[in-house]
Structures are given as C-alpha cells and as structure tokens.
C-alpha cells in the first residue's frame, strides 16, 4: 500500500466524510489527530487513499509530493527497497529432454507479478495447470490461441508472437496474486529450451501492535519519526506497521481503550479550517456524474465493463476538467458483466505438420478443433457445435521435390573365377532428377538393385594333364627309368582323380637303358617297409645305397660316388585297404566384398574310396561350404562439407530427426553415419 504524508490526512478525512463512512463530528485540531481517525484509516485508506494515489501519480510522485522522486518498488511499496517481498527468479535451461510435458517450476499460493517468458523462439510451448492436474493453458496436447485465461483467482495473459515476423518467444504473465498452487510446464519438441520465470511473494514480517495509553500518542502536527506515517509514543516508539497495513492496525488497536471525547487541556478546532473553506467553495460548484459505461471487453461470451464518472457543473451538468472536482469524492467504479451471450463456435486450425515424405508425393496433417469462447477463455467443445461451418481439411497432399532414383551405370563384370562359383559386380548410383549423382541416402535403400551376386562359371575341366618325359634316365648304365608328372585339374590344381578324369591314370614312369655297366657306381634299393596306415593312403620307406658293380660283385661305397645319378625315392605312397567315404573340399573362393563383411564359398563333396560321389559320410562332420570374410570396416570417405554444426547432434540421431532436411544439414556427419549403418543392416 502506498503511504501518504501526514499533511494529506485532512483530505482523507474529508473524503471519508463525503462517503458517509466516517462520523461528521469527529474531533480534529491543528496539533493532533484523534486515535479514532487512525483506527478509521485502516478501513478508509484501502479505498480512498489508493484512489487518491492513482490520481496523484499523473502529476506527482507516488507519495503525492512533487519532486520527491519516490517510486513504487517491485513489492508495490512507495519508496520501498524491494525488501517487503521476496523476488523469485531463474532460468530453466536443461540439456536433454524427451518429447512431451516437463515441469519447470511450482508457483506457491499468494505469488504475484508472475512472468514466464521463453527467452529464445522455438517450437516448444509453455503450459500451465493447477495442482490437481487440470489444464489452464496448452493442456492435453492441444495448443490454445493467445489470449486471456481466468484461473486461480486472477487473469493470465498468454502471448505467442507472430511465428514469421517476430523472433520473440511466447510468454504467460499475470499481476496476481494467485489463490492456489500452480505448475508451469514446457511441451518439449526442440532441443535447448530456455525459459525465464519470475514472481514475488510477500514477507510475513509485520510487527504485532500493542495498545498504548492516550497520553503516549504524539500529535500529527510534529513530523513523523524517520519519515514514516504512524502512531508514536512520547518516547518515539512506533506501533504501526512500516507498510501501513490497515488490517493490522485495526487488529492491533482496541478503539474502546481510547476516549472519544476531547481532552480537557485541548481545544477542538477544525483541522486546517481556512484551507478547507476555500476548497469547499470551489468543490461545491462541481460534482461527479455517471455518464455511461466503458466499452465491453468482449463482444460475446461474457466480457467486463466499468461505469464512467465525469466531472460536471452542478447546475448545467456541462462536462468540465476532472481537476475541478474533488478526487476523493469520485465514486469507485465497479466492473460488471456484459455481452454474456455465448460466442459462435469456430474451427481452430493448427499448423501443418511436415510432409510425410522427403521426396515424391506424401501427406501432411494438421489439428482442427471446434472451440467456443466464454468468460474470456477459449474452450474445446464437441464438433457438433461447429456443424454450421465447413470443416477445414485435416490431411493434404505434399511433395517437397522429385525423388532421386537408382541407376545401373555398368553391366555385370566377368565372374571372379574361370570355373565353379565366384562373384560378379556392377556399378549402381543414386541419381537425382537432373541426372547428377547424389548420396545413396537420397534414394530409397529398400529399392536399391543388387550391386554384387554369386556367379557359376560351370564345372571346371576335369582331365589328366601330363608333362614331357624327363631327359635323363634314372641309371647311367643298365636298366633305369624316365618319369613325368600327371595331375587331374579341378577348380584348383589337385591330384584327386574325380569323375571326368577316368580311373586309368596315365603312366608316370617308363623303362630306359643306356647300355651295360662297367665298374660303375649305382644306386641300389632295398625292399619297401610296412605301410604307415592300416587303411587308406599312407607311405612306406626303403633303404637306398650306392654300390659299385665289378665282375658280377657289388661293393658298398660312399653316396657321393653316386651323386651324379638321381637317387631313387626312399618313400612312396601306400594303400592297404579302403577306409570308407570321406568329406573332400576345394579351396575357398575369393571374398564377395573387400570390407564391411563379405562371404566366400567352396565345394564340399562326400567321396568314396574310388573317388566317386557317396552318401555315406557323417553329416555332423561336414565342413562348412560358406564363411564370412573381410569383416573390417571400410574406410569412409571424408567430406569436408559434411560436418556437425552442433556439439549435441547425438540427440538429433536419438530423436530420429535426421529425416528432416534442416537436421540433415545441421548434423550432416552424424546423420550420414547412422544412415550408412542402417544401409548395411538392411543389406544383410
């Protein structure tokens, strides 16, 4: 409450007399004011003093004294230092949130001058609800239009600046105070929200007053101690709250403790009688007259209007300047309802969503709700209330651009192997509608043609291949042998005589004789030893010595004497009996990919002892005919123009926002990385 100086109290008394709220025989003199006046001020000041203060602020400072430079602080106290209340303020600025409603702050009952403002324009929205969870603004995923909303004993103003021309965020404000606890929330849709909140709470620091004797009251003719209005004892002790709270004054004083009759030593005279007489002559010529009502605040749905009182000449009723009338006599305007008839329902159309396709024909949606205004608040109603209006479309077709498509740039390459199963590839590129090659992410990965596949070059030739006979005989004299190599060619060189080569293997050696021996050193061999295996193919060995034949006799000599001759083999394969069918494999084919995981294949066959196909092999021991290869990741090409513009692009990836062109550009590196990873998963 604004505090007026003692010099203006006589105006207050006159104002209260004029409204018949104060007894006309109240005793006032030039040196003091009776205690009853002080008791009365607790009731009168709440209306008259505040009314006077409102008028005086136009030409004077808040204490009604010109040039005092007193202003009203944030707590509403004239000349105050903001200590009469507690100012709560802060900034809500979280790092990562999930999409949906999140609580910002709980505002307690009694808070006033509430200001909730979005510091940066975004696609987030501020919401308000009471402690029971009932929505006041922007509840249940329905975004209200800007306007006024009545709740918690006050009126909230919801502003959302123009989304195109303005860069300011939205806000919710009220003068308050509120009569219940309220919760402020944010509807999180865009990263890095920033919301400023501020409100004030009154401090409960009013001193309880005690009754004082009439002899201790200091007259008002003396300046108040410390410049404060109030009742003081003769010792300077003050008994009125520093805020001039009239209710505390009434509760603290007992009017029956003071005599209403003047003291024997005091002569009662009208306070400032000469000044009042001059004012009275001027004021009697004019008075306040009801001249109409203000414009209704709403054309329908329940608005507010106030009576208008103008200053007029008492006789002619001609309207004159308000300064000629007694401001204390001006009636207090009381608001009343007007235009209470319901407003016609209307379709509230929301914004279009983003197109469902980044290219090609797609769809976009928007919310269309039937609403009706009543009591300065917009309410969602049943669609039947809007049946007199054509409902706007909720779904529309859209196309941001023509889709890029896959283009086969080359034919299949030759098979990677001359025979058997191999790999072949071809070049597939993503091309836009202008014919330019673009990133694969621009095309539909599900429709990409295969760029590699297995190929079967047919069965490899299975025939006996032989070398020429050796030029040398195994013996320089007497009987010897010449040799050659014989092999059956399959997928890769092998000595296995599979079908196609035939069972009769060409001879690998033949006899040769370069004449009789005459005391010549020769290699002589002993009998073959036991086979190394009981079945199947094994090896056996024999002794080989160098002998000199002379006159039909043999003499063992050093091996060096026979070094000029080819030494016969000391080992050779052997086969005692068949072991049964076994699994045979070819060599592995080339890997289908050089990186990022490919596969390779080989032929696996069950062959009997005679190298014919068999079904007698144990399937449990069958070797793998396919295995993964080159599992290392491919080295990604670094694109200097594709970078993350923000440090928290991982949030964009987690929220799956890379489908939107803005985030695909702002977080290019992160979005491209996840797109390539998804492409590899789909190809597998």
């Amino acid at each position: 409450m604004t505090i007026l100086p003692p010099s203006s109290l006589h105006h207050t008394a006159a104002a209260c007399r004029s409204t018949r709220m104060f007894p006309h025989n109240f005793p006032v003199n030039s040196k003091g004011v009776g205690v009853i006046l002080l008791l009365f001020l607790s009731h009168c000041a709440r209306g008259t003093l505040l009314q006077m203060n409102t008028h005086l602020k136009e030409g004077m400072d808040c204490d009604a004294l010109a040039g005092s430079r007193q202003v009203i602080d944030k707590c509403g106290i004239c000349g105050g230092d903001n200590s009469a209340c507690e100012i709560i303020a802060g900034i809500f600025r979280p790092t990562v949130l999930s999409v949906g409603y999140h609580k910002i702050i709980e505002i307690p009952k009694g808070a006033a001058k509430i200001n909730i403002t979005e510091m940066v324009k975004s696609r987030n929205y501020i919401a308000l609800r009471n402690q029971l969870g009932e929505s006041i603004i922007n509840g249940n995923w329905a975004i209200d239009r800007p306007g006024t909303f009545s709740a918690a004993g006050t009126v909230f103003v919801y502003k959302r600046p123009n989304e195109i021309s303005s860069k300011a965020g939205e806000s919710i404000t009220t003068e308050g105070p509120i009569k219940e606890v309220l919760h402020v929330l944010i509807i999180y849709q865009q990263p890095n929200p920033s919301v400023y909140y501020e409100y004030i709470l009154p401090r409960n620091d009013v001193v309880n007053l005690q009754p004082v004797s009439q002899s201790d009251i200091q007259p008002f003719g003396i300046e108040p101690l410390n410049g404060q209005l109030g009742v003081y004892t003769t010792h300077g002790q003050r008994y009125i709250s520093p805020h001039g709270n009239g209710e505390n004054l009434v509760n603290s004083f007992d009017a029956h403790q003071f005599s209403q009759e003047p003291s024997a030593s005091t002569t009662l005279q009208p306070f400032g009688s000469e000044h009042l007489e001059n004012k009275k002559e001027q004021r009697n010529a004019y008075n306040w007259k009801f001249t109409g009502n203000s414009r209704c605040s709403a054309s329908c749905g329940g608005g507010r209007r106030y009576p208008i009182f103008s200053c007029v000449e008492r006789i002619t009723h001609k309207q004159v300047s308000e300064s000629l009338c007694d401001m204390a006599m001006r009636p207090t305007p009381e608001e009343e309802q007007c235009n209470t008839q319901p407003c016609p329902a209307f379709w509230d159309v929301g914004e279009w969503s983003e197109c469902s396709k980044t290219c090609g024909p797609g769809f976009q949606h928007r919310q269309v709700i039937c609403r009706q205004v009543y009591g300065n608040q917009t309410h969602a109603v049943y669609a039947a209330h809007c049946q007199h209006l054509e409902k706007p479309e909720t779904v529309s077709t859209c196309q941001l651009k023509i889709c890029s498509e896959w283009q086969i740039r080359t034919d299949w390459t030759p098979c990677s192997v001359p025979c058997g199963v191999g790999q072949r590839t071809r070049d597939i590129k993503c091309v836009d509608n202008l014919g330019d090659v673009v990133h694969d992410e621009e095309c539909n990965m599900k429709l990409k043609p295969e760029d590699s596949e297995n190929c079967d070059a047919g069965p490899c030739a299975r025939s006996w291949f032989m070398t020429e006979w050796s030029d040398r005989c195994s013996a320089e004299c007497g009987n010897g042998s010449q040799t050659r190599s014989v092999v059956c060619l399959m997928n890769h060189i092998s000595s296995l005589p599979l079908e196609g080569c035939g069972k009769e293997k060409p001879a690998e050696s033949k006899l040769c004789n370069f004449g009789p021996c005459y005391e010549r050193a020769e290699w002589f061999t002993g009998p073959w030893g036991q086979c190394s295996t009981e079945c199947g193919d094994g090896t056996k060995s024999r002794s080989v010595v160098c002998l000199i034949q002379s006159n039909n006799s043999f003499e063992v000599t050093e091996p060096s004497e026979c070094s000029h001759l080819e030494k016969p083999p000391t080992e050779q394969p052997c086969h005692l009996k068949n072991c049964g069918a076994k699994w045979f494999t070819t060599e592995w084919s080339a890997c289908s990919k050089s990186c990022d995981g490919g596969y390779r294949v080989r032929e696996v066959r069950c062959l009997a002892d005679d190298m014919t196909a068999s079904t007698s092999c144990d399937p449990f021991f069958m070797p793998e005919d396919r295995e993964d290869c080159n599992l290392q990741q491919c080295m990604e090409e670094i694109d200097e123009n594709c970078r993350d513009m923000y440090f928290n692009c991982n949030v964009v990836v987690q929220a799956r926002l890379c489908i939107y062109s803005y985030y695909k550009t702002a977080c290019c590196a992160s979005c491209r990385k996840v797109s390539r990873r998804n492409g590899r998963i789909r190809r597998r």
Side-chain angles (χ1 to χ4, degrees):
M1 178 181 292
T2 303
I3 301 173
L4 296 179
S7 59
S8 62
L9 289 178
H10 65 278
H11 296 293
T12 304
C16 291
R17 286 194 188 99
S18 64
T19 56
R20 297 184 180 180
M21 296 174 60
F22 188 77
H24 286 268
N25 58 352
F26 178 78
V28 180
N29 62 16
S30 60
K31 294 184 178 180
V33 179
V35 175
I36 300 302
L37 171 60
L38 296 176
L39 296 176
F40 170 72
L41 288 178
S42 65
H43 298 287
C44 183
R46 281 180 292 175
T48 307
L49 293 184
L50 288 178
Q51 186 178 7
M52 292 175 63
N53 179 62
T54 303
H55 174 71
L56 290 173
K57 281 196 297 184
E58 298 177 0
M60 300 184 180
D61 296 295
C62 66
D63 57 359
L65 295 177
S68 68
R69 297 184 180 179
Q70 294 291 323
V71 296
I72 299 176
D73 68 356
K74 287 191 175 183
C75 303
I77 305 300
C78 180
D81 58 357
N82 298 326
S83 62
C85 66
E86 183 178 359
I87 303 174
I88 292 90
I91 298 177
F92 178 76
R93 187 178 290 161
T95 54
V96 179
L97 294 174
S98 58
V99 176
Y101 285 83
H102 295 272
K103 182 177 177 181
I104 296 178
I105 190 173
E106 178 181 297
I107 303 180
K109 177 181 178 181
K113 296 187 179 298
I114 300 172
N115 178 14
I116 312 295
T117 301
E118 190 180 26
M119 300 177 66
V120 179
K121 180 181 178 181
S122 68
R123 292 191 294 107
N124 303 319
Y125 295 93
I126 304 173
L128 191 65
R129 66 175 61 155
N130 61 19
Q131 201 170 18
L132 300 177
E134 298 172 342
S135 173
I136 299 173
I137 299 175
N138 294 342
N140 301 321
W141 288 100
I143 306 304
D144 294 306
R145 287 182 175 273
T148 57
F149 298 82
S150 298
T154 185
V155 176
F156 292 89
V157 178
Y158 175 43
K159 295 182 180 180
R160 184 167 66 244
N162 186 282
E163 298 184 356
I164 298 178
S165 62
S166 175
K167 295 183 179 179
E170 61 180 33
S171 64
I172 297 177
T173 58
T174 183
E175 286 295 318
I178 58 176
K179 296 183 179 180
E180 60 177 313
V181 177
L182 295 181
H183 293 174
V184 180
L185 304 98
I186 185 173
I187 307 177
Y188 180 84
Q189 298 185 111
Q190 181 176 331
N192 300 323
S194 183
V195 179
Y196 173 79
Y197 58 85
E198 178 182 306
Y199 61 88
I200 66 171
L201 287 174
R203 296 185 186 273
N204 298 322
D205 58 356
V206 178
V207 180
N208 288 330
L209 306 182
Q210 299 296 331
V212 297
S213 63
Q214 185 175 6
S215 60
D216 288 337
I217 298 177
Q218 179 177 320
F220 274 97
I222 301 174
E223 287 297 322
L225 298 179
N226 300 324
Q228 296 292 323
L229 172 64
V231 178
Y232 297 84
T233 65
T234 55
H235 304 291
Q237 187 176 0
R238 187 169 185 272
Y239 282 85
I240 295 183
S241 164
H243 301 165
N245 192 316
E247 294 180 358
N248 290 333
L249 181 66
V250 174
N251 293 335
S252 301
F253 281 92
D254 185 358
H256 297 290
Q257 295 184 15
F258 302 93
S259 173
Q260 297 186 12
E261 296 299 327
S263 172
S265 62
T266 303
T267 303
L268 299 179
Q269 295 294 337
F271 183 73
S273 58
E274 293 181 2
H275 177 74
L276 290 176
E277 287 297 331
N278 294 334
K279 288 292 182 179
K280 183 176 181 182
E281 293 179 1
Q282 178 182 354
R283 301 299 184 187
N284 287 341
Y286 307 96
N287 65 341
W288 294 100
K289 179 183 178 182
F290 172 75
T291 57
N293 291 308
S294 65
R295 185 176 180 180
C296 190
S297 61
S299 60
C300 59
R304 297 288 180 179
R305 68 182 181 185
Y306 299 86
I308 299 175
F309 296 96
S310 303
C311 183
V312 299
E313 291 184 358
R314 185 177 297 277
I315 299 176
T316 63
H317 296 283
K318 181 180 179 182
Q319 187 170 340
V320 294
S321 174
E322 292 185 351
S323 60
L324 298 177
C325 288
D326 188 351
M327 297 302 298
M329 299 290 294
R330 186 174 188 172
T332 302
E334 296 183 0
E335 68 175 18
E336 62 180 13
Q337 283 192 331
C338 55
N339 294 337
T340 58
Q341 72 279 7
C343 292
F346 63 94
W347 290 111
D348 186 11
V349 180
E351 300 177 3
W352 286 108
S353 66
E354 293 197 18
C355 194
S356 61
K357 299 290 185 64
T358 56
C359 65
F363 296 94
Q364 55 184 173
H365 303 264
R366 64 180 177 182
Q367 192 177 50
V368 178
I369 302 175
C370 182
R371 295 186 182 273
Q372 193 169 20
V373 178
Y374 188 78
N376 290 332
Q377 191 170 3
T378 303
H379 302 272
V381 296
Y382 291 110
H385 291 268
C386 295
Q387 62 183 358
H388 61 288
L389 301 173
E390 182 179 357
K391 184 176 182 179
E393 295 292 335
T394 59
V395 181
S396 176
T397 58
C398 56
Q399 180 169 323
L400 300 180
K401 63 177 181 178
I402 299 175
C403 287
S404 302
E405 61 181 2
W406 295 107
Q407 189 177 90
I408 301 174
R409 308 299 290 267
T410 62
D411 293 331
W412 288 108
T413 60
C415 198
S416 59
V417 293
C419 62
V421 179
Q423 291 281 315
R424 64 176 185 173
T425 60
R426 61 181 177 181
D427 190 18
I428 307 294
K429 297 294 184 182
C430 181
V431 180
D432 62 15
N433 60 318
L434 300 178
D436 297 328
V437 176
V438 294
H439 295 295
D440 287 358
E441 290 81 359
E442 298 292 331
C443 291
N444 190 341
M445 298 300 296
K446 295 181 179 179
L447 301 179
K448 182 179 181 179
E450 292 293 336
D451 57 358
S452 64
E453 67 177 10
N454 290 339
C455 55
D456 189 350
C460 294
R462 292 179 174 85
S463 300
W464 293 111
F465 287 77
M466 298 159 290
T467 62
E468 297 292 334
W469 291 106
S470 61
D471 294 333
R472 296 179 58 181
C473 186
S474 61
E476 293 184 0
C477 62
N479 293 327
S481 63
Q482 289 178 287
T483 61
R484 64 180 178 181
S485 297
V486 179
V487 65
C488 178
L489 292 182
M490 303 185 307
N491 297 20
H492 298 278
I493 296 177
S494 173
S495 60
L496 295 178
L498 301 181
E499 66 274 13
C501 291
K503 295 182 180 180
E504 296 181 1
K505 184 177 181 180
E508 295 181 290
S509 64
K510 68 177 181 177
L511 292 175
C512 59
N513 191 325
F514 292 146
C517 296
Y518 299 98
E519 296 184 359
R520 291 178 179 269
E522 290 185 76
W523 290 108
F524 282 83
T525 61
W528 288 106
Q530 183 176 314
C531 191
S532 61
T533 60
E534 295 181 357
C535 69
D537 295 329
T539 59
K540 57 184 178 179
S541 61
R542 64 182 177 181
S543 298
V544 179
V545 295
C546 182
L547 299 177
I548 296 178
Q549 182 181 7
S550 176
N551 298 323
N552 295 324
S553 64
F554 295 91
E555 182 181 354
V556 178
T557 185
E558 294 294 330
S560 58
E561 296 293 332
C562 298
S563 60
H564 61 286
L565 300 175
E566 183 179 0
K567 184 178 181 180
T570 59
E571 291 184 352
Q572 76 173 11
C574 58
H575 185 90
L576 299 180
K577 63 178 180 179
N578 295 333
C579 293
K582 290 184 179 180
W583 290 109
F584 287 80
T585 63
T586 64
E587 295 291 334
W588 288 107
S589 68
C591 192
S592 62
K593 296 180 66 176
S594 61
C595 58
D596 273 352
Y599 65 94
R600 59 183 183 176
V601 296
R602 64 181 177 181
E603 286 188 32
V604 178
R605 295 187 184 182
C606 179
L607 300 179
D609 290 318
D610 59 352
M611 299 302 160
T612 59
S614 173
T615 59
S616 301
C617 296
D618 189 350
F620 181 78
F621 297 102
M622 180 179 179
E624 295 291 335
D625 62 349
R626 174 180 173 139
E627 71 175 6
D628 295 332
C629 54
N630 294 337
L631 302 179
Q632 73 278 8
Q633 291 186 353
C634 294
M635 296 297 293
E636 296 182 358
E637 296 181 2
I638 299 176
D639 186 357
E640 294 294 335
N641 297 323
C642 181
R643 297 179 177 178
D644 287 346
M645 299 172 62
Y646 300 100
F647 71 94
N648 57 347
C649 282
N650 60 319
V651 178
V652 174
V653 174
Q654 293 173 3
R656 299 181 179 179
L657 299 176
C658 288
I659 61 174
Y660 303 112
S661 58
Y662 170 78
Y663 292 110
K664 187 182 294 183
T665 302
C667 297
C668 180
S670 296
C671 289
R672 180 174 294 181
K673 183 176 180 181
V674 72
S675 177
R676 289 176 176 173
R677 184 169 64 249
N678 293 339
R680 291 195 295 267
I681 294 174
R682 285 193 292 268
R683 286 194 293 269
R684 290 178 184 175

